[in-house]
Amino acid sequence: MKDAAPQTIYLKDYTPFGYVIEKVDLTFRLAPNATRVLSRIRFAPNPDAPDRRFFLHGEDLRPISTKIDGADITPRPVPGGIECDAPDTPFTFEAEVEIDPAANTALEGLYMSNGMYCTQCEAEGFRKITWYPDRPDVMAPFTVRIEGDEPVMLSNGNPGARDAGFAEWHDPWPKPAYLFALVAGDLVNHPDSFTTASGKEVELNIWVRPGDEDKCAFGMQALKDSMKWDEETYGREYDLDVFNIVAVDDFNMGAMENKGLNIFNSSCVLASPETSTDANFERIEAIIAHEYFHNWTGNRITCRDWFQLCLKEGLTVFRDAQFTSDLRSAPVKRIEDVIMLRGRQFREDNGPLAHPVRPDSFVEINNFYTATVYEKGAELIGMLKTLVGEADYYKALDLYFQRHDGDAATIEDWLKVFEDATGRDLAQFKRWYDEAGTPRLTVSDSFNDGTYTLHFKQETPPTPGQPTKDPRVIPIAVGLLNPNGDEVQPTTILEMTDAEQSFSFEGLASKPVPSILRDFSAPVILERESDNAERAFLLAHDTDPFNRWQAGRDLALDCLIRMIRDGATPDSAYLDALHTLIRDDAQDPAFRALALGLPSQDELAQTLHDQGTTPDPQAIWDALETLKQARAEAYQDTATRLHAQYQVTEAYAASAEQTGARALANAAMSMLNRLDGGALAQKQFDSADNMTQQLAALSALISAGKGDAAVTRFYDQWQHDRLVIDKWFSAQIVNARPEDVAQVAKTLTEHPDFTMKNPNRFRATLGALAMSGAGFHHASGAGYALLADWLIRLDPLNPQTTARMCTAFETWRRYDDARQALIRAQLERILSTPGLSRDTTEMVTRILG
Ligand code: TRP
Ligand code: ZN
């Protein structure tokens, strides 16, 4: 059976399936090239369904036999699956099919990774395993029997009988097929246990390849912390006897929340100080939490259809961010998330791939696992919480779990719960789900007779298919400071609902300095004429840590834009204000390290474009270099002191405290690196005993043009560790000079350790190329051509990863005619490739617009 011809699916066309499933029994007879899947599915007519067409999805299945109530039948092949004549009464459907996991390079369905069997079924991979109504609103309890001689054979739910040659599993919780999972292979476990609030003992395991056992302890602690946090914060307990996590090397994304059997990209679970950076540790902790939290937000309550994806993803991202904020530093987490949101989601929302948080059509659902659905989806939950307040938020969530447990729900259900729990009308709020685009919020102010007035104007630019936008409800968190730095108005939430709206504060002795959009209370672009003196004042005095950071960021952005656009020299207001902050040891080191960060090349390009200037990637790179050099020279003594003072002397821990200290020390090192020709970096490289310091030193040496020896030594030291070698590939590309980036990347694709079958390695190389700003956008077009060459090669093997990486080109219309022509030519070359996947066809078509 071949793929269905590409067609657009619409939200408005939703109809329930004609049948419900009472139970599913599956038997797998494992063999690398010829696995047999035997299914026995008990169907009954669905009284709520308008029609009784008995259609089952199926792709790349070799049929062996098909029966209804024990009698052989001959199903009719139809696009994307089969159709059969079925009775009007409950019946049993049985099938045997053969599949070829060893030939499955798409990493969707049942496939093999390093000799191990594993599955990935979200969103629509189960149809590559057997005939089934592969849609999230069809839920059923599964019993699974795995036959084979693999030492470890796992599936969802609780373990049943097992002996030489087989293992059985039963999952009592009805679930959609996308949450099915099976793993079998030579695995070792890191065991532990957790006692739930109601006293039930749960067995926990992290399963890894032999040799990786010593990299599981951190992930296990993160899992236990997550279980406890969800009990304490949301009152949610775990609901099976066992919770298994498996690490897999070949994986398209980060991790997957399969019921009771989470499967992780090994890069998102394996951790050790020697091989993982502080950023890796933080990400691993967050992803473990994310997948665990899906047990309630995603699994117990799932999505009616894939248009509702943000129902589980936005909420679960929001929950994992709360978890990280509670365990680590809330301001640091918020600043990091906003940097990510602006870098990925604003970019998406302001280009040809812009779509609503809840899209209303798609061709390939895999193309909608986006920053908009995930990260903007999480921002919408945050805004809801701000609008209704903490107590009502948890009241609404309690009602959500009570009302919808066991359901496949919608965004309408979700909002109704909030309306019922709080009495609030959320009709206007719903626009955030239905309309794409990032609102621009313009602010002006005035002061008269002790009354201070803020005047706001909102406008959302058109996005594909949505030419006009209505005003949204925007929670604007505002505080006011008086000129000596005291807060005269603590944070208050202004609820903007109109296109233009004013808010006044009375009884003020003098004109205050406003701190607007505190904690980034809404995902909007704030536009306000403000001078550098005011920004420096806020950087020094604001009580809201996010807005303190934002003030510093605004200073840097303004300084860089004037350097790029007007040829200005680095601004002393910025240099002085930042210096005051970073040398103040009373300030959190992590915060100071964040303040030393600079806007990315991509953010600068977008800002210039928004202001009507065509961005020149090389000029952006040059300005960043000039500014970094100026900072290094101005801060040399401070940097020398900070580097020495913030060396961690205790045993390594991935704690917020140590992470902050290392971040500040490494920021200092990279400044000094510009002055000492790499001497300090070499010293750090030679003595580093953890990856955070070793990789920072390696990167600094490469940037200084002094990396050759370190690059060789790093490889020799780590060639046995694939996750560290991924870093080795990336570091050489992202730290190369723009004119060298494409050649460095090309040479690395010829390295014996490069393989396009492993998505991590592919991303470490070609993804690093795409992320290297002026290198990728070099006027020669070599970067564009190299990426397109490899996307064309990867597409037949792995359409999902290919399509995702096409987003490197989504910003093409920002650039000059010459670059636009070069990119267009590459996009058209990709699109004209014979047999191009549905995934990549959809993405390239949308990007071309
Ligand atoms: N649901 C997963 C998560 O957010 C992500 C996911 C969706 C995924 N599709 C996938 C992971 C395909 C791997 C492969 O947690
Ligand atoms: Zn998720």
Side-chain angles (χ1 to χ4, degrees), residues 409-634:
T410 62
I411 289 302
E412 282 74 12
D413 293 332
W414 163 254
L415 291 175
K416 182 79 167 53
V417 158
F418 272 79
E419 291 188 327
D420 291 353
T422 68
R424 204 175 240 272
D425 179 351
L426 292 171
Q428 188 184 6
F429 188 82
K430 186 159 178 290
R431 287 180 191 153
W432 280 105
Y433 284 96
D434 293 331
E435 292 185 11
T438 308
R440 283 154 209 261
L441 190 63
T442 318
V443 199
S444 57
D445 63 350
S446 60
F447 184 69
N448 268 313
D449 280 345
T451 297
Y452 179 68
T453 302
L454 283 167
H455 184 75
F456 295 92
K457 210 174 131 178
Q458 60 163 303
E459 206 180 318
T460 305
T463 52
Q466 296 185 330
T468 60
K469 315 275 173 173
D470 298 313
R472 304 187 191 177
V473 51
I474 303 179
I476 308 169
V478 169
L480 302 176
L481 306 174
N482 75 15
N484 67 23
D486 295 334
E487 190 168 71
V488 287
Q489 168 66 59
T491 303
T492 180
I493 307 299
L494 311 178
E495 238 181 272
M496 183 179 190
T497 52
D498 301 340
E500 287 197 47
Q501 212 167 334
S502 295
F503 299 88
S504 292
F505 302 85
E506 284 162 15
L508 296 162
S510 56
K511 184 175 181 187
V513 177
S515 167
I516 303 169
L517 210 65
R518 283 184 159 180
D519 208 35
F520 202 63
S521 61
V524 300
I525 294 171
L526 184 63
E527 278 165 5
R528 172 160 191 270
E529 292 295 326
S530 118
D531 58 27
N532 282 339
E534 186 185 293
R535 290 176 179 140
F537 173 86
L538 287 172
L539 176 60
H541 299 292
D542 203 334
T543 56
D544 181 67
F546 176 83
N547 264 3
R548 287 185 62 212
W549 170 83
Q550 183 64 55
R553 175 56 60 116
D554 288 341
L555 278 172
L557 193 61
D558 181 73
C559 166
L560 282 159
I561 294 293
R562 283 186 293 106
M563 289 170 72
I564 298 162
R565 209 186 42 204
D566 313 332
T569 51
D571 188 276
S572 60
Y574 167 64
L575 292 174
D576 294 348
L578 184 60
H579 200 179
T580 304
L581 173 75
I582 62 167
R583 71 184 156 205
D584 179 359
D585 287 330
Q587 304 289 336
D588 178 11
F591 183 80
R592 286 186 274 166
L594 283 166
L596 275 164
L598 285 167
S600 68
Q601 296 177 64
D602 194 68
E603 184 176 346
L604 288 162
Q606 181 67 40
T607 306
L608 286 162
H609 173 78
D610 289 347
Q611 298 177 356
T613 304
T614 302
D616 173 355
Q618 185 65 43
I620 291 172
W621 198 82
D622 290 342
L624 281 164
E625 286 297 300
T626 304
L627 183 58
K628 287 178 193 167
Q629 186 68 30
R631 297 197 319 183
E633 285 163 13

Side-chain angles (χ1 to χ4, degrees), residues 113-418:
S113 171
N114 291 317
M116 167 181 143
Y117 295 86
C118 61
T119 54
Q120 171 56 41
C121 293
E122 188 177 3
E124 300 181 331
F126 193 75
R127 62 191 64 183
K128 294 176 158 190
I129 293 177
T130 193
W131 312 117
Y132 201 79
D134 188 8
R135 39 186 291 168
D137 59 344
V138 176
M139 300 170 81
F142 281 61
T143 302
V144 175
R145 176 181 168 92
I146 311 170
E147 297 177 3
D149 41 25
E150 302 298 330
V152 175
M153 300 193 284
L154 310 171
S155 190
N156 314 89
N158 295 321
R162 77 160 291 154
D163 210 328
F166 80 94
E168 291 178 356
W169 291 85
H170 177 67
D171 182 1
W173 299 103
K175 67 167 175 292
Y178 83 85
L179 292 172
F180 169 82
L182 177 153
V183 169
D186 183 14
L187 293 163
V188 290
N189 69 326
H190 177 104
D192 207 325
S193 73
F194 179 83
T195 306
T196 68
S198 60
K200 219 183 90 170
E201 176 145 333
V202 182
E203 175 189 327
L204 311 177
N205 292 298
I206 299 183
W207 298 91
V208 297
R209 279 166 54 184
D212 286 337
E213 305 88 311
D214 55 340
K215 293 185 179 172
C216 299
F218 180 79
M220 183 57 83
Q221 187 58 47
L223 175 60
K224 291 192 285 183
D225 290 344
S226 304
M227 295 177 87
K228 187 150 194 302
W229 185 90
D230 213 14
E231 290 181 346
E232 289 172 351
T233 314
Y234 283 87
R236 299 295 115 199
E237 271 188 41
Y238 188 61
D239 53 7
L240 289 166
D241 304 340
V242 189
F243 189 81
N244 284 314
I245 287 178
V246 182
V248 171
D249 284 342
D250 302 290
F251 207 67
N252 280 333
M253 307 248 258
M256 180 63 212
E257 70 266 24
N258 317 300
K259 183 81 189 190
L261 178 54
N262 288 1
I263 300 184
F264 275 63
N265 186 320
S266 53
S267 72
C268 297
V269 53
L270 301 180
S272 77
E274 296 74 33
T275 59
S276 313
T277 63
D278 292 333
N280 295 150
F281 277 96
E282 193 182 318
R283 183 169 143 81
I284 288 165
E285 184 177 84
I287 296 184
I288 292 206
H290 179 97
E291 306 311 332
Y292 175 73
F293 297 157
H294 267 314
N295 190 56
W296 275 93
T297 52
N299 301 2
R300 289 284 288 258
I301 305 178
T302 194
C303 303
R304 187 193 71 173
D305 55 66
W306 291 118
F307 297 104
Q308 321 296 329
L309 184 56
C310 65
L311 180 75
K312 73 178 176 82
E313 295 304 346
L315 178 54
T316 305
V317 171
F318 180 73
R319 277 155 44 74
D320 83 56
Q322 285 184 297
F323 168 79
T324 301
S325 303
D326 285 356
L327 263 69
R328 293 172 174 264
S329 152
V332 168
K333 171 66 175 164
R334 188 64 184 142
I335 293 164
E336 289 171 349
D337 280 355
V338 174
I339 292 171
M340 223 256 280
L341 185 80
R342 288 186 177 137
R344 296 182 40 213
Q345 200 279 323
F346 281 21
R347 166 182 156 120
E348 183 167 78
D349 226 357
N350 288 284
L353 298 177
H355 55 274
V357 171
R358 185 176 69 176
D360 49 23
S361 73
F362 61 76
V363 173
E364 170 52 63
I365 185 56
N366 282 329
N367 289 337
F368 285 84
Y369 286 76
T370 59
T372 297
V373 169
Y374 277 65
E375 273 76 38
K376 189 174 177 181
E379 293 298 318
L380 304 199
I381 314 283
M383 282 193 289
L384 264 179
K385 181 163 180 277
T386 302
L387 287 168
V388 306
E390 173 110 353
D392 273 3
Y393 171 79
Y394 287 104
K395 204 171 126 197
L397 265 288
D398 284 345
L399 181 61
Y400 180 61
F401 292 121
Q402 184 201 321
R403 185 183 286 176
H404 291 292
D405 187 11
D407 286 354
T410 62
I411 289 302
E412 282 74 12
D413 293 332
W414 163 254
L415 291 175
K416 182 79 167 53
V417 158
F418 272 79

Side-chain angles (χ1 to χ4, degrees), residues 722-734 745 748 754-755 758-771 805:
R722 62 217 171 270
L723 297 175
V724 181
I725 293 300
D726 287 336
K727 300 184 197 317
W728 180 83
F729 273 82
S730 295
Q732 294 177 71
I733 297 165
V734 298
L748 284 168
F754 178 78
T755 165
N758 177 260
N760 291 357
R761 188 60 47 86
F762 192 88
R763 280 188 286 259
T765 312
L766 282 315
L769 166 70
M771 281 178 342
M805 289 184 65

